[in-house]
Amino acid sequence: MLGCNLSNSQDVFGKWKTIDDRNGVEKAVIEIYERDGLLHGKVVQILEEGKKNAKCVKCEGERKDKPILGMKIIEDASEHSEGIWKGKTLFDPEQAMTFRCKIWLNPENSNELMVRGYLAFIYRTQKWIRIKD
């Protein structure tokens, strides 16, 4: 039983490559980390051609015209059940929109992170790929 638990709770933390689920373009590398028992994520590398120095031009407030590289896009998600994290802040800098989120490892492949963003009752799920150091 302990073995099952360990494989189930493999770390969601680390670096993940985002791939646009609509066109297959590799977009960025997001570092998922823990602080004070909560999950956070920030953009640590831009992969998309021509976007390396992109700024959040559609953003308002403190993010307006700030570089996307280094931007925190997931804030204060908490673990709700074994390996499933939920939060109110999954930020998409391209759309300048904030979504509620649910994050978990693909049960069939622990090198895939499932990231679901919710807007009201509509949702979209992306599969992020683990980057091994």
Side-chain angles (χ1 to χ4, degrees):
M1 197 59 163
L2 181 61
C4 282
N5 233 354
L6 287 175
S7 66
N8 232 2
S9 65
Q10 171 140 13
D11 239 296
V12 298
F13 302 105
K15 292 181 181 173
W16 300 89
K17 181 177 6 178
T18 67
I19 300 169
D20 191 306
D21 55 317
R22 294 178 177 135
N23 61 20
V25 171
E26 293 182 351
K27 306 288 269 182
V29 174
I30 309 300
E31 182 177 7
I32 304 285
Y33 59 97
E34 182 268 334
R35 190 179 71 219
D36 299 327
L38 298 173
L39 180 146
H40 300 268
K42 67 180 177 181
V43 179
V44 295
Q45 186 179 359
I46 307 280
L47 300 173
E48 190 173 4
E49 201 62 40
K51 304 270 180 133
K52 303 256 188 251
N53 298 310
K55 297 197 183 314
C56 199
V57 292
K58 293 182 183 177
C59 294
E60 296 177 356
E62 65 183 32
R63 288 186 170 129
K64 177 78 176 150
D65 295 323
K66 295 286 193 249
I68 293 173
L69 183 63
M71 187 173 284
K72 190 187 270 194
I73 63 165
I74 303 170
E75 294 184 54
D76 299 335
S78 58
E79 192 168 16
H80 279 249
S81 60
E82 185 69 29
I84 298 176
W85 297 79
K86 294 181 180 180
K88 293 182 180 169
T89 307
L90 170 62
F91 183 72
D92 179 345
E94 279 193 333
Q95 298 180 58
M97 293 179 69
T98 301
F99 303 90
R100 288 182 300 118
C101 64
K102 178 179 175 184
I103 299 167
W104 71 99
L105 289 177
N106 181 343
E108 296 169 11
N109 183 349
S110 64
N111 289 316
E112 294 177 347
L113 189 68
M114 309 306 291
V115 180
R116 179 172 292 167
Y118 294 90
L119 194 57
F121 56 88
I122 299 168
Y123 66 87
R124 190 169 129 211
T125 306
Q126 284 190 341
K127 194 181 295 182
W128 295 1
I129 308 300
R130 185 185 303 275
I131 295 177
K132 297 181 181 174
D133 289 328

